[in-house]
Amino acid sequence: MQPTKVIKRTGEIVEFDEERIRNAILKAVMATGRKLSAASVDAIVVDVVEDVERQWPKSQPSVENIQDLVEKNLVLAGHYELAKAYILYRAQRRKSRQEARERAIAEARLGKLAIVAPDGSPELLDVEKLGELLRRIGEDLGDVIDIDQLVQEVIGSLRAGMTPEDIDEALLRSTSAAIERHPAYGFLAARLVLENLYAEVIGRRVELGEVDSAYREAFVMGIRYGAESGLLDPRLADFDLGLLAASLSPERDLLFEYVGIQTLCDRYLIRRGGRCLELPQIFWMRVAMGLALEETDSNERAMDFYELMSNLYFVPSTPTLIYSGTPCPQLSSCYLTTIDDDLDHIFKSLADNAQMAKWSGGLGNDWTNLRATGAPIGSGRVESQGVVPFLKLANDVTVAIGLSAKRRGATCAYLETWHLDIEDFLDLRRRTGDERRRTRDLNTAYWIPALFVKRVLADEEWTLFSPDDVPDLHDLFGQAFEKRYVEYELMAEYGKIALFKRIPAKSLWRKMLTALFETGHPWITFKDACNIRSPQDHTGVIRSSNFCTEITLNTSVDETAVCNLGSIDLARHTREGGLDAERLAATVKNAIRMLDNVVDINFYPTPEARNSNLKHRAIGLGIMGFQDALYELDLPFESEGATDFADRAMELVSYHAILASSRLAKERGPYASYGGSKWDRGLLPLDTVDLLEEERGVAIDLPRTQRLDWTPVRDQIRRHGMRNSNLMAIAPTATISDISGSSPGIEPIYKNIRVTAVGGGEITVVNPHLVKDLERLGLWTDDMLEQIRFCDGSLSPIAEIPQQLEEKYKQAFETDPICCLRMTATRGKWIDQSQSHTIFVTGGSGQVLNDIFLTAWRLGLKTTYRLQTPVPTEVEVKIVDRSEQGESRRRDDSAGAAVGVTATRSGSARSDASPL
């Protein structure tokens, strides 16, 4: 597929246009006076485009990258004189650009650079105003920002005839490009975005002293206009807008970093006709009002919810942020479905997928019920083609709908490992083979019963069946599953089941891990842990998880499971010495209320989704900013202190979430299917770890320590029940983490330095916590930045870095995956659903992968998410030799001394390697 974007020299990302390549080649042809056929030119252009596709399959090349490829392909085609002319053409263009830049700088410094005034008339650029603007908005950011240097960099990008909008863009580009020098530039860039946003929404440039009043006026006018025009729910106009306007805190706009505010502007703020109609605090209040619509004291509740979100203590998931307060409030994040072995239901389910995807829902589909390849269909003696052709259709539905422009499509298909089509299923994401049996855009996951893992460990046989021969197997788990499975094996042995296959369990396990290593799929999830620990085991079965593997809810033909998500930023609840337990309790209480409100306010794309959510009222409160919290507490990710913190934090969240739901039950009544649930039977999430251990007959090496007195919680539930069947689930939180400026979910930091696309360009961001610590030690310099960049964020090769900081700032691929699993298991004992746990592993050893996933099972994890492995590029970093200081620090390779500059592979094929 041809690339769609290219990074210009200014950093701006524009549409890819192969005509520009063709025109540049033709100019070089003209310069040589030679002739080159149109077919030859077209062939070179095709070769260049193919090179770009291979080298940048998921990112954008720069203009310079493409020009380098043109030179290479001209030489490969034997057009040496033409290649020389093209090189000279590039050099001439480079010289012309530099001369124009120098002229613009000279004219700007002399006050002679002519620009276009807002009314279209020419005027001279006032350089002093640029400096005044930057000093005004950044006066509280400290001396780390060099305003004079920044102004000079801006001047260097100016040219005659620029408009005010062009100059604003140049200011923002130069400021955002400086973010790598210090995080303070990120806040300065955010304020430049805010300056322009204020002008766009309010309709004029606002002086510093009048921002407050203009902000509140814009809120009242915006809500009224939105309600009248159909952009917003008309009921929003019934709130006390004056009261809510007075409660806004415009100064909280300054909490945003550049990535956060730009993400908000690009994807979340309401627009009409290209014009933005919301400011950030108006946005938070609009979301809060939408969530308080059915509250008796709606004004007070809206202000409570606003306080939570505007301080970035808690952020709801993307669909809630997009649609809250609108006429069609589809606020839910995830939908889980079960597809029946019936042609009508299969196509109904695909249509349901389309409807749910249309409204920004992430999808999890359980396909295990479909009969396998070769199974007879009806009395027509026709054989089934199995599950794969229908998965291909599900893949194409995902692509065709694509969700909204604000949230791309995401579907995951689940299949149990005893299904006869499991070997075809694990090949779905391979790059080779019949395209009709490949799903390039559909995520896949195994639904693994405990018996399979036991047979892998015992090196025993495993039998594959077609579901129509074993119709109850998918609904059984634990010892009941094991007993029935063995009965079916005996039936097959005695000829009562004709369609089956026996293979060594360890052989299938190897194939599963190999596919996961080579393609990133299917993911590994555990059926028994999900079901045995489920609060809702009395009224159904969990048959799959969702797209990100953190949701574990019952599904059936009549019930599409729905989950409403939001996440608490742990770092914003961390104080010196630990967590602010009081603040966290208040946040959890209001967050549970907000998520419960979603159930009643929500627009449901299908009747089955509505039926399920109103009956069970499942919600998923999660956390993010875990790594940031560890930084604040000076705890390395692999330390015992970090695991202890994870345990303490999740116990607090769980305690107050369960208590809040029970108090809501007292106020509003328990959920409809509460009777007979684990809650009703006096079983809390911690109690279910013992149940899982007992059912499996295998010990779970996990401490059951409690630090809080849970008696009041148990008493509250006994008296009043629970408002929600499920309460907690930890999602990946990628985009809402960008908004809040926090580390995503529960993962270790991916890189200490990273390049991210934002606002039509790319910026380099350095871990702000690392910068702070290096500043404290007097080590943050331009030279240190270059070393960190050269080492791709790893600190181990850098001689000046103290060992303590090296441990604290290990990156994801430097962190022990087993340690991460143990931390997730420790946290998981408090959670009634699951956690989106990405596994980062270096190398492709089959034994390493085997140990990781068997450890996950032994620790009682319910699910795992993506497997990410680094793929070395051509550049390999060994040791940064500080020769000018006459020193070099060497370490054993096993301790991570040799570090590769890497690009992440999650789902890319690797045909020349296998882990097993």
Side-chain angles (χ1 to χ4, degrees), residues 595-793:
L595 293 175
D596 184 64
N597 286 354
V598 168
V599 176
D600 297 311
I601 297 166
N602 199 51
F603 163 79
Y604 294 97
T606 68
E608 293 83 1
R610 180 180 181 83
N611 174 37
S612 173
N613 214 205
L614 292 179
K615 183 177 179 181
H616 309 301
R617 308 189 68 84
I619 58 177
L621 178 65
I623 59 173
M624 57 184 173
F626 179 74
Q627 174 71 93
D628 290 331
L630 294 184
Y631 288 146
E632 293 290 336
L633 298 172
D634 204 28
L635 291 171
F637 204 94
E638 294 177 336
S639 66
E640 290 184 11
T643 301
D644 183 69
F645 173 75
D647 196 6
R648 290 174 181 271
M650 204 64 227
E651 183 178 7
L652 274 168
V653 171
S654 180
Y655 185 99
H656 293 291
I658 296 170
L659 188 60
S661 181
S662 186
R663 286 172 175 166
L664 276 179
K666 178 182 179 182
E667 176 186 339
R668 299 173 171 177
Y671 67 93
S673 60
Y674 169 76
S677 67
K678 278 193 173 72
W679 306 112
D680 187 31
R681 283 148 39 205
L683 295 171
L684 301 188
L686 181 64
D687 304 325
T688 63
V689 178
D690 289 340
L691 294 181
L692 177 61
E693 185 176 78
E694 181 182 349
E695 191 78 12
R696 274 187 187 174
V698 178
I700 297 175
D701 181 19
L702 195 64
R704 274 63 152 185
T705 307
Q706 302 178 59
R707 294 179 176 86
L708 302 177
D709 178 9
W710 284 79
T711 304
V713 178
R714 295 179 185 275
D715 289 345
Q716 180 77 19
I717 296 171
R718 188 167 54 253
R719 290 196 304 269
H720 304 293
M722 291 286 286
R723 180 64 175 168
N724 313 95
S725 67
N726 298 75
L727 291 169
M728 291 160 283
I730 300 178
T733 74
T735 311
I736 62 171
S737 288
D738 283 342
I739 293 172
S740 62
S742 69
S743 54
I746 53 175
E747 295 179 356
I749 191 169
Y750 181 68
K751 295 283 185 184
N752 283 314
I753 186 169
R754 61 188 175 90
V755 176
T756 184
V758 59
E762 287 192 339
I763 61 170
T764 302
V765 180
V766 184
N767 182 347
H769 301 278
L770 173 60
V771 173
K772 182 179 178 181
D773 276 348
L774 291 175
E775 279 186 316
R776 178 175 51 83
L777 297 172
L779 294 176
W780 182 244
T781 62
D782 290 343
D783 179 65
M784 178 60 71
L785 171 61
E786 287 304 313
Q787 291 187 66
I788 293 172
R789 182 188 287 113
F790 182 72
C791 295
D792 200 28

Side-chain angles (χ1 to χ4, degrees), residues 136 144 161 166 179 199 293 319 382 500 591 702 833:
R136 173 173 62 80
V144 293
D166 294 331
I179 291 174
L293 272 172
V382 177
F500 68 94
L702 195 64
Q833 295 198 67

Side-chain angles (χ1 to χ4, degrees), residues 458-470:
D459 197 12
E460 296 176 347
E461 292 278 300
W462 184 247
T463 308
L464 306 180
F465 296 104
S466 179
D468 57 320
D469 287 327
V470 290

